[in-house]
Amino acid sequence: MLKSRVLDRHEIEAAIDELAGRLNRDLVGRDPVFICILKGAVYFFTALTTRLKQSVVIDFIQVSSYGATTESSGTVTLVKDVTVDIAGRDVYIVDDIVDTGFTLVDVLALVEARHPRSLQVVALLDKPSRRRSRVEVAYVGREIEDRFVVGFGLDFDERYRNLPEIWEFEPDREG
Ligand code: IMP
Ligand code: MG
């Protein structure tokens, strides 16, 4: 069930505005490729990239790690690979939330193997207290407590992604 609202529309927009502001300064003189990690980052990704002042190339990658649980399995499977040539490009990986960091470590390794010129991570949310791997996230929208959240792309067992706000979620105890 949905417990309490963590970020309302206004707070989400403000976080994305701030990230876009930083990126617009940092992207000057770069030739960026923005890669959305499907599916969770998709709402964040469109909001973020439409705030960027220069033309950027976009692409999508999909990995899977969670089932009907709020814990990461610790192993990710590549479901859909990128299609643009990222060799020599400035690559920005866009993720919904960084939790243990296991997913990102694997995605970064996959992308690094294609020899980008630079590689950075942009995440809407970060749960730093949960981190179990060393991964650098250069751009974080908002840090949150160790709570499982849904909405604005984030799911529990594929549900709640289309909620316009971000809510704390607690799975029902029976089934
Ligand atoms: P990690 O590998 O533990 O860092 O988990 C990263 C992925 O797990 C994120 O990209 C999300 O898809 C999912 N995830 C982590 N925490 C949450 C949460 O609180 N709500 C929904 N999905 C989450
Ligand atoms: Mg997910």
Side-chain angles (χ1 to χ4, degrees):
M1 54 176 273
L2 300 176
K3 281 179 75 182
S4 60
R5 194 167 59 193
V6 175
L7 292 176
D8 66 21
R9 289 291 311 164
H10 180 77
E11 291 164 326
I12 294 170
E13 300 275 319
I16 300 173
D17 277 340
E18 288 166 27
L19 286 173
R22 280 182 60 199
L23 283 162
N24 277 322
R25 288 189 293 277
D26 296 351
L27 290 177
V28 174
R30 292 190 170 228
D31 181 19
V33 180
F34 275 72
I35 298 177
C36 174
I37 305 187
L38 294 170
K39 302 171 194 174
V42 74
Y43 295 82
F44 170 47
F45 185 76
T46 57
L48 180 73
T49 53
T50 51
R51 283 166 166 85
L52 300 177
K53 295 196 175 122
Q54 73 187 73
S55 167
V56 301
V57 170
I58 64 164
D59 206 347
F60 301 87
I61 195 168
Q62 185 170 8
V63 295
S64 68
S65 60
Y66 280 42
T69 161
T70 58
E71 291 291 319
S72 180
S73 64
T75 28
V76 309
T77 318
L78 183 65
V79 176
K80 186 223 167 290
D81 204 350
V82 293
T83 56
V84 300
D85 184 9
I86 59 171
R89 313 290 298 274
D90 295 306
V91 173
Y92 293 80
I93 301 291
V94 181
D95 204 359
D96 51 2
I97 188 166
V98 189
D99 189 37
T100 62
F102 289 143
T103 308
L104 262 182
V105 165
D106 286 8
V107 170
L108 290 174
L110 276 165
V111 172
E112 193 73 64
R114 282 75 188 267
H115 309 292
R117 186 168 80 138
S118 66
L119 183 55
Q120 312 249 261
V121 177
V122 188
L124 178 61
L125 302 175
D126 186 12
K127 289 195 266 192
S129 65
R130 295 260 308 166
R131 196 76 83 257
R132 287 175 61 197
S133 59
R134 203 173 299 173
V135 62
E136 196 199 324
V137 186
Y139 300 88
V140 171
R142 288 288 181 271
E143 287 189 358
I144 63 167
E145 314 263 287
D146 178 10
R147 296 188 284 181
F148 194 83
V149 292
V150 296
F152 202 67
L154 292 146
D155 72 305
F156 172 72
D157 198 16
E158 293 300 329
R159 304 199 65 99
Y160 303 105
R161 290 194 197 276
N162 62 314
L163 277 179
E165 301 174 319
I166 294 171
W167 288 73
E168 181 176 2
F169 179 81
E170 194 171 272
D172 294 330
R173 237 157 270 174
E174 74 275 21

